[in-house]
Amino acid sequence: MSLQVEKLEGNMAKLTIEASAEEFEKAVEKAYQKSKGKVSIPGFRKGKVPRKMIEQMYGKEIFFEDAANIAIPEAYAAAVDECTEEIVSQPKIEVVQLEAGKPFIFTAEVALKPDVTLGKYKGIEIDKIDIAVTDEEIDAAIDKERENNARTISVEDRAVQDGDMTTLDFEGFVDGKSFEGGKGENYPLTIGSNTFIPGFEEQLIGAEIDREVEVNVTFPEDYQAEELAGKPAVFKCTIREIKEKELPTLDDEFASEVSEFDTLAEYREDVKKNLAEKKVEEARSKKEEIVVNAIIEDAQMDIPEAMLTTQQQQMADEFAQRIRMQGITIEQYFQFTGLTKEAFLEQMKPQADQRIKYRLVLEAVAKAENLEVSEEEYTEEIKKMAESYRMTEEKLTEMISTFEEKAIKEDLCVKKALDFVVENAIEK
């Protein structure tokens, strides 16, 4: 394999990759071995037709396309290893020469990692972030825990109130006529959930069990059923059941049930401690965001479109993997949201651009400050990874390739750069 690199405008490059005639012949043989079981010629058993016989009947080029698909990934991977430039996009492949007895030649147009000219990155000024925990925040956290531990009780001696969980029968009419989808029986509805048409739930407040009430609403102009959009409607509703939440009493018994503490005072102090830790983490994240965004704003770099496209696709793949773990395919997601793949990727573009710039400026800071990762720091990271994966350090180390080791060390170096710029920021 031989490689020529031609730099293009906009941090792009064209790699001309040549596999020898002998290397391509090996790929053709692999293509034949892969395809021979599909070829039927009278006088030969399936899968036993000699390659020369197939080539005589269909031409020498019969296996060339499959051979090219076999040869390209191998040759391109070797070219990337040999190339001294840092490639940051998927390649755009174009075959140049595909002939019997001659070298196989193709080009790969790729984006190169852009240079970054840093502006100010030390002494970035930021407003001091308040991390004090208020009594109101503690009360809200405890109230949320009370909500989580509330029990539901049936109510029979009063009318519907805001926040009640009701069961109702209803039938809707437009111009005096019922319409499809406008009827329901024993339908569960929490008042104030804003599940129904605007104005519907509020009119049920005060309704009594088993007594019919009329609810007058107007369908929104953008309602999904076009024949109902913008039209006034009357719903005849009957409340069948009312339930409400009964919050537990705020006392020592409650504290002992929801925590490891015996008293409400101890529990409250622990809630305060946890909120304080969370605020510190949030403040750190906010500070990182402000500082790095300021560095990006003052830096200069030219992001190739191909690099941006690759990042968008990577983020889309990550998203698809996350929702697949929830039992939803990306195709189903598109169907639910009405998005196309193209529109989805376009939505990813600003975030992809920011993610690229975030990484590039921190790599530039690490280079400017000569930040490096020691073997001790790398070993400590492997130890953490092994614990999270529930395997031994030795087993994990065996599985990590040279490329993956390099990537882990680069990530650690970026973290060090992030720590550096945050620690050197000035709070006003």
Side-chain angles (χ1 to χ4, degrees):
M1 190 281 302
S2 65
L3 169 68
Q4 290 182 342
V5 180
E6 178 188 353
K7 287 194 175 182
L8 308 174
E9 291 183 355
N11 289 313
M12 297 294 292
K14 183 167 76 172
L15 313 183
T16 301
I17 303 166
E18 180 178 315
S20 68
E22 291 77 15
E23 289 171 324
F24 186 63
E25 166 57 28
K26 291 178 182 177
V28 174
E29 179 62 24
K30 287 182 181 178
Y32 159 69
Q33 294 295 339
K34 183 179 177 182
S35 303
K36 65 181 182 179
K38 302 174 185 176
V39 180
S40 296
I41 293 180
F44 293 93
R45 283 185 298 157
K46 202 168 187 178
K48 299 296 182 178
V49 183
R51 176 179 153 187
K52 286 186 178 181
M53 177 68 72
I54 298 172
E55 290 175 337
Q56 284 175 0
M57 291 189 69
Y58 299 102
K60 281 185 171 292
E61 298 79 10
I62 182 67
F63 298 116
F64 279 13
E65 184 177 344
D66 287 344
N69 290 331
I70 292 169
I72 287 172
E74 295 176 4
Y76 177 73
V80 170
D81 287 340
E82 183 179 317
C83 185
T84 56
E85 302 290 341
E86 189 165 353
I87 296 168
V88 290
S89 75
Q90 292 298 317
K92 183 180 178 182
I93 303 293
E94 186 175 332
V95 174
V96 175
Q97 180 170 283
L98 183 60
E99 298 180 35
K102 293 184 178 181
F104 172 51
I105 304 172
F106 66 96
T107 61
E109 191 172 305
V110 295
L112 302 180
K113 183 178 176 180
D115 293 327
V116 177
T117 303
L118 288 171
K120 183 177 181 179
Y121 64 89
K122 286 187 281 191
I124 301 293
E125 292 187 352
I126 61 172
D127 292 330
K128 189 175 181 65
I129 301 173
D130 185 13
I131 57 173
V133 178
T134 66
D135 288 339
E136 289 77 11
E137 289 170 329
I138 298 172
D139 290 340
I142 293 175
D143 284 344
K144 186 176 180 181
E145 192 62 36
R146 290 178 73 199
E147 285 277 353
N148 292 338
N149 287 272
R151 67 190 185 99
T152 303
I153 59 172
S154 293
V155 177
E156 297 177 353
D157 58 352
R158 65 165 174 82
V160 173
Q161 296 178 358
D162 192 20
D164 282 346
M165 294 165 282
T166 68
T167 301
L168 74 154
D169 299 340
F170 63 86
E171 185 171 11
F173 299 86
V174 170
D175 297 329
K177 298 179 181 178
S178 60
F179 54 89
E180 186 178 352
K183 186 176 182 179
E185 292 182 356
N186 294 318
Y187 191 93
L189 176 65
T190 298
I191 307 301
S193 64
N194 298 317
T195 306
F196 272 31
I197 304 162
F200 186 100
E201 295 169 27
E202 293 89 332
Q203 293 180 57
L204 290 177
I205 294 174
E208 297 179 350
I209 292 176
D210 294 333
R211 289 193 178 181
E212 186 179 284
V213 295
E214 286 191 357
V215 172
N216 293 276
V217 294
T218 300
F219 284 100
E221 293 292 342
D222 59 352
Y223 193 67
Q224 58 185 2
E226 293 182 9
E227 68 277 10
L228 299 175
K231 291 188 176 181
V234 177
F235 283 85
K236 293 183 178 181
C237 306
T238 304
I239 300 296
R240 297 304 184 191
E241 187 178 32
I242 302 173
K243 290 183 178 181
E244 66 176 1
K245 281 185 178 180
E246 185 178 68
L247 298 178
T249 304
L250 192 57
D251 54 16
D252 290 346
E253 183 180 350
F254 167 73
S256 65
E257 287 177 354
V258 299
S259 73
E260 60 188 42
F261 302 99
D262 295 327
T263 67
L264 181 60
E266 289 175 308
Y267 171 58
R268 186 179 178 85
E269 195 60 35
D270 185 62
V271 170
K272 181 178 180 179
K273 174 175 169 286
N274 291 332
L275 286 174
E277 290 174 353
K278 184 180 179 182
K279 277 203 165 188
V280 168
E281 289 178 8
E282 290 174 346
R284 168 72 186 196
S285 297
K286 187 65 177 176
K287 191 183 293 187
E288 290 174 354
E289 181 184 351
I290 294 170
V291 171
V292 178
N293 284 344
I295 297 171
I296 290 171
E297 191 68 28
D298 206 26
Q300 295 178 6
M301 66 196 95
D302 182 14
I303 310 297
E305 191 66 28
M307 182 182 190
L308 189 56
T309 300
T310 298
Q311 183 67 60
Q312 287 170 261
Q313 187 59 58
Q314 181 180 327
M315 290 170 62
D317 291 342
E318 290 170 0
F319 178 82
Q321 185 175 0
R322 286 198 303 272
I323 64 171
R324 191 162 54 243
M325 292 173 70
Q326 299 170 17
I328 304 171
T329 66
I330 193 65
E331 291 77 19
Q332 289 172 324
Y333 175 78
F334 289 154
Q335 192 174 30
F336 297 153
T337 61
L339 285 172
T340 62
K341 180 181 179 182
E342 292 72 22
F344 178 66
L345 288 171
E346 189 62 26
Q347 283 186 356
M348 294 277 187
K349 197 168 188 177
Q351 189 181 348
D353 182 68
Q354 188 69 5
R355 186 183 286 191
I356 290 169
K357 289 176 179 176
Y358 194 98
R359 176 87 182 195
L360 287 176
V361 296
L362 289 177
E363 287 178 346
V365 168
K367 184 177 180 182
E369 293 296 325
N370 296 313
L371 301 178
E372 295 180 348
V373 175
S374 67
E375 283 304 315
E376 290 77 12
E377 288 169 327
Y378 174 73
T379 302
E380 182 63 26
E381 182 66 13
I382 293 300
K383 182 179 179 181
K384 291 178 185 176
M385 291 173 65
E387 288 174 356
S388 66
Y389 296 151
R390 297 182 180 179
M391 62 172 63
T392 64
E393 294 175 50
E394 294 75 14
K395 183 67 175 177
L396 180 59
T397 302
E398 289 174 9
M399 296 171 61
I400 295 174
S401 66
T402 304
F403 174 80
E404 289 167 333
E405 180 179 337
K406 181 173 177 287
I408 293 169
K409 289 180 177 178
E410 287 175 349
D411 288 344
L412 288 172
C413 202
V414 165
K415 287 180 184 177
K416 292 186 83 167
L418 180 59
D419 291 340
F420 177 86
V421 295
V422 171
E423 288 162 9
N424 280 275
I426 299 172
E427 288 187 332
K428 295 186 291 182

